[in-house]
Amino acid sequence: MTRTRLMKSTGVSVLALLAATCPAHAWADEAAASGEAEAADAAADGAGGSGGGLQEIVVSAERTNVTLQKASLSVSAVTDDTLKKANITEITGLNGSVPGLVIAKSGGGERNISIRGIGTATPENPNTQPGVSFHIDGVYIFNSIAANAAFIDVSQVEVLRGPQGTMYGQGSTGGTINVVSKQPEPGVLTGSANVGYGNYNLLKADAALNVPIGETIAVRGAVQRYRHDGYAKATSVAGDSGYELDNANDWGGKLAVKWQPSDRVSVLLSTIQYKGDANATAQKNILDPDPDPRRLTQDYPGKTYIRTQLYYGVVKFDMGAVTFNSITSYQKLHSKLSWDSDGLNTDLFYALTEGIQAGTGVRYDHTALWEQNTTSWTQEYNLASSNDGPFRWIVGAVYLHSKNQSYINEYRSGMGDGLDAPLPDNAAYNDPLVSRLTYAELSSITREAYAGYAQGSYELTDKLTVTAGIRYNHDKYSGVSDSLSGGSTSSTSGAFLQPTPGAGTTTQRMTGKFALDYDLTPENMVYASFTRGFKPGGINSSAAQGNSSFTIFGFENGTKPTFKPETLDSIEVGSKNRFLNNTLQINASAFYYFYKDLQFLEDDAILYSEGISNGPKAEVYGAELEMDWKATSHLRFEGSLSLLHSKFTGDYLALDPTAADAAQAAAGYAGNLFYTNFFGASLAREGARVNIKGNKLPQMPTVQGSAAVSWTGQVGPGEFTARAQYIYRGKFNSRAFAVPVQDDTPDYSQVNLFASYALGDSGLSVSATVTNLFNKDGVNSRFTDPYGSGQVSDTYIPPRQAIFSVGYAF
């Protein structure tokens, strides 16, 4: 059976869900129209259907539709069905579902995503690019906070592991995540509605409707509501000793219109809207004396408000031998976040940190506002060949433009530095719980990027295929910024902040891929690949630009106004297999990474000059295994395993903020400083640098895996399904410094249960879900705040959650 035949044998139901998705799924528009032919092919080839074997899943691997089993790279697809069974409502819930994927929470509401240990190690700097790019329907999402948005009308989530040097380019050193939403289907009237209720007063409701208008137009709309009470409480908030944290209050919606006047032309217009308005994430200080992980001795009532808007359009024109695609997107993010930066109440913070932190005598540290407004748009054009013939290719060009505006206010008490300036009269964030401004920043950073790419695959024989691709990337950062801090020359009189042009940076890089894959049999293949990925450089905060030790004192180390891009070379070998008459699937891969100029967050000898630095060389190697066995027509087993090892292989003297503060206090320079003693304190801080060579890379569990068993069969007039899942995530270092205890993120395990009953052909169904059955207090992430008082906090996975749902579909 040829490769083309295998691609045609994809199950119709999956292809229909993927049809017209922007941009990588634009080639699947004709799938729904050829339903009967595809179904016949699927049955004949044993790829699902009535044969009872495992169904094929189509993924947008490298921007061309291909069955998962024929993609010559490590890629996983988490289907809508799996998301529902595991109660995964946003991206953090994917932990444990995909080998090597870790999604950690940090201060400020970000989601730090890493794959095989490569990802975002630079929280709270909105001007850096992630190491794992995030997409919705193929559209690149610029700001990591937008990843908080709930999954809305999702078909599947695709996770491509390893650098994506050709098709996704910048920001994809670790891999790519693409959330694929369901799209309109002409000629079919369908709909669904589900409502669920659970403990913590949880309400989960969604509805979708697909309406055909004539024979060429279809409209699909979806709405979603998700809320629950707080999983944790802050116990020292004035007037509210049970202030909820980790609650949810989300709304989401999608509207899409598809016009398909002929089999060769289609136009898709879509918008996805999201709003989350809740209290802050629970971040429990590891010094908190309360042993209950869900009770936090904090006194500041933090808030999280996130509003995202995504608009995109896809125009496709099939010219026979080639297909032209135009993909346009416009997106906006507005967020207002506040949180208790010290993670304790005033008395505890003063008592537990006096003489330890540089700010001796400080009674609180509160981030009263971190506001961001991001406006972005993208344009992509590409030409792709048909899937017929031995040579298949795609060429394209991409343009991205994004402007990110940030406004930050941080307050402390008892600093003794005279920074008593109130916020401007027109600000809406004057807060009686804060009185002394210790840091403020106002910045506007513009990113402009363009890229061109080309990739082709040629079947040298019926079994051997070679793939080669190349991409040119050009990124430019520019902008204005100003900051006010204890060590700043900014004035508290007159205009509050006066942004001025700062240092800009431009990056050009060539990346690409070369791969060979060989079909041992029609159901078994092996592949080998070499890929280069990169993440562009960028601009540090205005404080780092103005106070860098490199520019003031001439220290060899220290944060600079700008930081360099990072590069990653990957060698990977793998095998994808179907056995036992298409009922057992085993996919395995092994890889070796060579990393250069790793971007990570470190302190500076000069106060308030934290920023992004480029670390030494590093290496990562590991192996991954995924298994899916449909043992009988009723019984199914699924599992995954990831084994990773990493270390920094180059010398680099890094400055840990905690160690810098301790050295400063030990030298007799505790508290905020003036320029009369700034040099002496800076020398003390500079002496605290340590060589991180040999340390493990952050956010990389040595072992991670999952196992699930499910049973589906006819019971009475309907179909009953039961599923049990076990997830294990191993321990890892939270930062590159690998400080014992402080950076030790412990392991955890979790058990989830699911059961459903569908009442024959009525469309009615009921289900029950229990996540975290044994109510484990698993630590999702350990976070050291580098910008505030240096406190270390844990965030936890959700506690046991039981949900009962009723659904109807037609």
Side-chain angles (χ1 to χ4, degrees), residues 638-706:
E638 301 164 90
S640 67
L641 178 65
S642 171
L643 303 174
L644 294 172
H645 176 80
S646 70
K647 65 178 179 180
F648 290 104
T649 57
D651 293 305
Y652 186 84
L653 296 177
L655 186 58
D656 174 4
T658 305
D661 288 347
Q664 178 183 331
Y669 296 106
N672 226 39
L673 302 178
F674 299 98
Y675 279 96
T676 54
N677 56 6
F678 221 61
F679 185 72
S682 298
L683 285 175
R685 294 169 63 86
E686 182 71 7
R689 292 187 178 275
V690 296
N691 194 341
I692 60 174
K693 182 179 180 180
N695 290 356
K696 293 182 179 180
L697 272 66
Q699 298 184 21
M700 180 178 290
T702 302
V703 181
Q704 184 178 2
S706 66

Side-chain angles (χ1 to χ4, degrees), residues 756-776:
S756 68
Y757 189 72
L759 298 174
D761 297 327
S762 68
L764 291 172
S765 64
V766 294
S767 66
T769 304
V770 180
T771 55
N772 195 2
L773 175 66
F774 298 108
N775 204 28
K776 296 283 189 177

Side-chain angles (χ1 to χ4, degrees), residues 351-401:
L352 294 177
T353 63
E354 184 176 11
I356 300 175
Q357 299 295 328
T360 299
V362 177
R363 289 194 174 274
Y364 68 76
D365 179 8
H366 295 158
T367 301
L369 175 67
W370 184 30
E371 181 175 6
Q372 289 195 72
N373 289 283
T374 302
T375 303
S376 312
W377 72 274
T378 68
Q379 177 63 56
E380 177 173 356
Y381 299 108
N382 62 55
L383 283 171
S385 67
S386 68
N387 286 328
D388 296 323
F391 181 54
R392 299 176 304 280
W393 53 267
I394 180 173
V395 295
V398 184
Y399 177 78
L400 306 92
H401 186 280

Side-chain angles (χ1 to χ4, degrees), residues 242-518:
Y243 183 82
E244 292 187 354
L245 299 170
D246 268 347
N247 64 324
N249 188 24
D250 302 336
W251 296 265
K254 187 193 78 172
L255 181 64
V257 180
K258 182 180 180 182
W259 177 49
Q260 192 168 349
S262 72
D263 291 341
R264 292 184 175 271
V265 178
S266 68
V267 178
L268 174 71
L269 299 176
S270 186
T271 179
I272 298 176
Q273 306 282 324
Y274 166 81
K275 182 173 78 170
D277 188 1
N279 295 342
T281 298
Q283 300 179 88
K284 188 177 178 68
N285 194 315
I286 63 173
L287 300 177
D288 193 328
D290 192 325
D292 189 340
R294 311 289 180 181
R295 289 174 53 86
L296 286 65
T297 315
Q298 298 180 4
D299 54 9
Y300 186 73
K303 294 284 187 180
T304 298
Y305 177 87
I306 299 172
R307 174 79 168 91
T308 65
Q309 303 172 64
L310 173 62
Y311 307 87
Y312 62 88
V314 183
V315 179
K316 174 203 166 185
F317 180 39
D318 185 349
M319 297 180 286
V322 298
T323 300
F324 169 78
N325 290 275
S326 171
I327 307 103
T328 307
S329 77
Y330 175 76
Q331 53 191 282
K332 295 182 69 175
L333 164 73
H334 175 58
S335 65
K336 292 191 296 186
L337 312 173
S338 61
W339 64 95
D340 193 323
S341 297
D342 60 73
L344 300 167
N345 62 26
T346 56
D347 293 338
L348 274 174
F349 186 53
Y350 181 83
L352 294 177
T353 63
E354 184 176 11
I356 300 175
Q357 299 295 328
T360 299
V362 177
R363 289 194 174 274
Y364 68 76
D365 179 8
H366 295 158
T367 301
L369 175 67
W370 184 30
E371 181 175 6
Q372 289 195 72
N373 289 283
T374 302
T375 303
S376 312
W377 72 274
T378 68
Q379 177 63 56
E380 177 173 356
Y381 299 108
N382 62 55
L383 283 171
S385 67
S386 68
N387 286 328
D388 296 323
F391 181 54
R392 299 176 304 280
W393 53 267
I394 180 173
V395 295
V398 184
Y399 177 78
L400 306 92
H401 186 280
S402 180
K403 185 175 183 179
N404 187 86
Q405 297 174 310
S406 295
Y407 180 39
I408 305 171
N409 286 151
E410 183 183 356
Y411 293 79
R412 297 186 196 179
S413 67
M415 296 300 294
D417 55 16
L419 289 178
D420 298 317
L423 285 168
D425 293 337
N426 63 349
Y429 307 105
N430 292 287
D431 194 317
L433 294 179
V434 296
S435 62
R436 303 177 68 85
L437 180 67
T438 190
Y439 181 78
E441 180 177 325
L442 182 62
S443 65
S444 178
I445 305 298
T446 298
R447 179 192 177 200
E448 191 174 24
Y450 57 84
Y453 62 86
Q455 182 164 300
S457 296
Y458 185 74
E459 294 183 6
L460 298 173
T461 70
D462 288 342
K463 295 185 177 182
L464 180 63
T465 300
V466 60
T467 298
I470 191 170
R471 183 184 183 104
Y472 173 76
N473 306 273
H474 182 281
D475 283 80
K476 179 181 178 181
Y477 286 84
S478 60
V480 297
S481 63
D482 189 23
S483 65
L484 173 67
S485 65
S488 172
T489 58
S490 299
S491 172
T492 60
S493 62
F496 183 58
L497 290 168
Q498 303 178 46
T500 57
T505 183
T506 301
T507 303
Q508 299 95 19
R509 283 291 189 278
M510 296 288 290
T511 58
K513 173 181 179 176
F514 180 82
L516 292 169
D517 61 85
Y518 184 79

Side-chain angles (χ1 to χ4, degrees), residues 491-565:
S491 172
T492 60
S493 62
F496 183 58
L497 290 168
Q498 303 178 46
T500 57
T505 183
T506 301
T507 303
Q508 299 95 19
R509 283 291 189 278
M510 296 288 290
T511 58
K513 173 181 179 176
F514 180 82
L516 292 169
D517 61 85
Y518 184 79
D519 291 335
L520 299 171
T521 73
E523 291 80 28
N524 306 89
M525 64 95 79
V526 293
Y527 68 89
S529 67
F530 171 83
T531 308
R532 168 164 290 183
F534 104 108
K535 184 164 69 170
I539 301 174
N540 272 315
S541 70
S542 59
Q545 291 188 51
N547 291 336
S548 170
S549 61
F550 180 79
T551 58
I552 294 180
F553 294 123
F555 292 149
E556 181 180 351
N557 300 291
T559 57
K560 316 297 191 297
T562 62
F563 50 90
K564 297 183 294 184

